Amino acid sequence: MTKEQRFRYEMFARIADFGAGNAALFPESTAGGQLFAQVQEMVNAIEGYLTKRDLARAEAQRVKTATRSAVLTGLRVVSAAAR
């Protein structure tokens, strides 16, 4: 996520918090309430994406470490066979 994207996400999160904090002023049946609900859905989707991205990075690191270990073991076997 770029710096500009992070700023926009934070802006949307503040808007969603404002809408949730002032829900009495913006009932769900009004246009404002519906728009705040849409913003909240966007924020939830972005948070889900960020969580999945972090989990994917951790999984990729685990796979990378396991692959590196397997390659090193294979190289040791080839080296021993060459001797």
Side-chain angles (χ1 to χ4, degrees), residues 1 4 9-10 15 21 24-25 27 29 36 44-45 47 49-50 55 59 66 70 74 76 83:
M1 183 178 272
E4 183 178 336
Y9 163 70
E10 291 171 355
I15 292 170
L25 299 175
S29 61
F36 279 123
N44 291 340
E47 287 175 354
Y49 165 76
L50 293 174
L55 292 173
E59 179 65 17
R76 285 184 181 145
R83 287 188 199 148

Side-chain angles (χ1 to χ4, degrees), residues 63-79:
V63 168
K64 199 182 286 187
T65 302
T67 303
R68 188 178 301 122
S69 176
V71 168
L72 185 58
T73 302
L75 287 174
R76 285 184 181 145
V77 169
V78 169
S79 177

Side-chain angles (χ1 to χ4, degrees), residues 15-16 18-20 26 31-41:
I15 292 170
F18 177 81
F26 303 101
Q34 293 171 359
L35 291 174
F36 279 123
Q38 288 178 353
V39 170
Q40 184 62 50
E41 289 176 17

